[in-house]
Amino acid sequence: MIRIAAVGDVHVAQDSDERFEPWIESVHAEADALLLAGDLTRSGNPAEGARLARELARIRIPVVAVLGNHDYQMDGEREITAMLRDVGVHVLEGSSVVIPVGDQRLGIAGTKGFGGGFAGACGSDFGEPEMKAFIRYTKRLAETLRIELARLEADVRVALVHYAPVAETLEGERREIYPFLGSYLLAEAVDASGADLVLHGHAHAGREVGVTPRGIPVRNVARHVIRRPYKIYQLGRPAAACAMS
Amino acid sequence: MKSDESVYRAERIREALATQPDVGELGIEVAVVGARIVLRGTLTSERRRTHILEHVRAICPDLEIDDELRVETLREPKTEVL
């Protein structure tokens, strides 16, 4: 089995209590990879990114991340991305990575994603340039997710996003803000290419468990939702048994 | 019933909590009712709560705070087999 540790919305800041350090040894023992579902920093300040990078540098299993809206707040997303990549974190945006885990391959395709809403109550690519830009941005990111998932050659495929792909994991949030919390376009992309699991964050008041229309499990791993430093998901087949003579 | 003015003021305060770099908190509900401000939401540490309350006192010293913020401590990690 492949063991994925996942958490989103850690919101690391220079003065925050949010730290990985107390959990480093346990995540090493319990997981084959750590996936971070965006909102890595509180305000997108590169100094926050630097602190996060120092902490993640101590983690010895592969770390894969997407950014979230908070990480864009101070226009420092490129700097934060570079700092995380410098310490070996795979920061995905319309891209993917394959990680060998024993005799299996864990493939992760990631994008931050964006909003727009869900079937029956969503924005359309229509009207003012600003409205069209909003929806086209979501469409573009969803399309990169579809393409990257389709090209992944792996035993277990995971879609890692920040914004929610389904409304089900938003239950608990106010319905009025659903269009700012995610888009069905992300789920459509995942369903088109297939995956074993979709991980997202962003919706602090939502709930953990959901599913796409085609039955792919969706998990909202925002730390406020899972109320743990991370959650472990086991996927794939059991490791091959050693040959006995 | 809230007056229009209190609705606008609550939204200005909510926006300030979101955009102030050392606060950066989008998950707090804010309501202004008369001379009181009600804050609701879940935070991850007592220090964070103290910081947010100090910030609200600074930007609206004329309002008495009803602190309904909750601090949630983390539980042990858990595994789900899919």
Side-chain angles (χ1 to χ4, degrees):
Chain A
M1 301 286 276
I2 292 176
R3 305 165 304 165
I4 296 167
V7 63
D9 306 77
V10 292
H11 294 292
V12 167
Q14 287 167 289
D15 66 342
S16 69
D17 298 315
E18 282 70 47
R19 299 176 66 85
F20 285 95
E21 191 177 353
W23 309 103
I24 287 177
E25 290 310 315
S26 64
V27 81
H28 285 162
E30 295 172 356
D32 300 304
L34 171 63
L35 273 56
L36 302 173
D39 277 3
L40 311 176
T41 63
R42 181 190 291 166
S43 301
N45 184 336
E48 298 171 345
R51 176 180 158 171
L52 175 66
R54 283 195 298 275
E55 293 210 28
L56 294 180
R58 300 187 52 214
I59 296 181
R60 297 190 302 277
I61 57 174
V63 180
V64 183
V66 294
L67 300 187
N69 55 312
H70 279 244
D71 307 314
Y72 280 70
Q73 168 63 10
M74 294 181 74
D75 302 322
E77 65 275 10
R78 289 184 183 170
E79 202 174 337
I80 291 169
T81 297
M83 285 187 284
L84 296 178
R85 285 181 174 157
D86 281 348
V87 298
V89 176
H90 301 279
V91 183
L92 304 181
E93 181 46 70
S95 55
S96 59
V97 62
V98 176
I99 296 167
V101 178
D103 62 344
Q104 299 184 63
R105 295 164 300 167
L106 168 62
I108 303 145
T111 176
K112 172 178 64 65
F114 201 48
F118 299 90
C122 56
S124 296
D125 186 356
F126 180 87
E128 301 90 331
E130 291 80 2
M131 189 63 202
K132 287 186 283 203
F134 176 22
I135 299 302
R136 287 176 187 176
Y137 177 56
T138 307
K139 282 185 173 178
R140 180 162 58 82
L141 299 188
E143 178 63 3
T144 65
L145 183 64
R146 186 191 66 75
I147 291 169
E148 290 298 316
L149 277 172
R151 66 194 285 266
L152 268 181
E153 293 186 7
D155 302 290
V156 169
R157 294 186 299 158
V158 175
L160 179 63
V161 293
H162 179 60
Y163 283 78
V166 295
E168 201 177 356
T169 49
L170 301 182
E171 287 175 13
E173 297 279 1
R174 291 177 62 166
R175 283 205 158 265
E176 296 93 324
I177 67 168
Y178 277 21
F180 304 110
L181 296 178
S183 166
Y184 79 96
L185 293 166
L186 297 168
E188 187 176 40
V190 173
D191 276 341
S193 294
D196 297 286
L197 174 66
V198 189
L199 297 170
H200 76 88
H202 194 42
H204 295 192
R207 66 184 180 107
E208 183 187 352
V209 176
V211 67
T212 69
R214 285 201 177 165
I216 296 171
V218 176
R219 296 293 181 266
N220 175 3
V221 293
R223 191 152 72 173
H224 306 66
V225 172
I226 61 173
R227 301 178 194 170
R228 305 174 193 280
Y230 53 83
K231 179 86 182 277
I232 304 278
Y233 300 98
Q234 288 190 4
L235 301 106
R237 55 183 163 77
C242 296
M244 300 290 284
S245 57
Chain B
M1 182 175 293
K2 296 174 190 172
S3 70
D4 284 348
E5 191 181 347
S6 68
V7 170
Y8 296 143
R9 189 172 186 194
E11 276 306 298
R12 285 196 296 271
I13 295 165
R14 192 193 57 76
E15 179 93 2
L17 292 174
T19 57
Q20 182 72 25
D22 66 337
V23 180
E25 185 61 60
L26 277 73
I28 296 179
E29 273 185 51
V30 178
V32 175
V33 184
R36 308 177 76 83
I37 177 169
V38 185
L39 303 174
R40 293 191 188 94
T42 304
L43 303 169
T44 52
S45 76
E46 198 59 52
R47 186 161 70 160
R48 184 100 175 108
R49 174 197 219 149
T50 302
H51 181 68
I52 286 167
L53 292 175
E54 284 172 358
H55 187 74
V56 171
R57 277 189 205 101
I59 60 176
C60 40
D62 57 313
L63 297 177
E64 188 171 340
I65 298 175
D66 277 354
D67 173 15
E68 297 184 15
L69 298 170
R70 287 192 306 128
V71 175
E72 203 148 62
T73 52
L74 297 179
R75 300 171 293 183
E76 288 295 309
K78 187 179 175 185
T79 297
E80 178 184 359
V81 179
L82 292 168

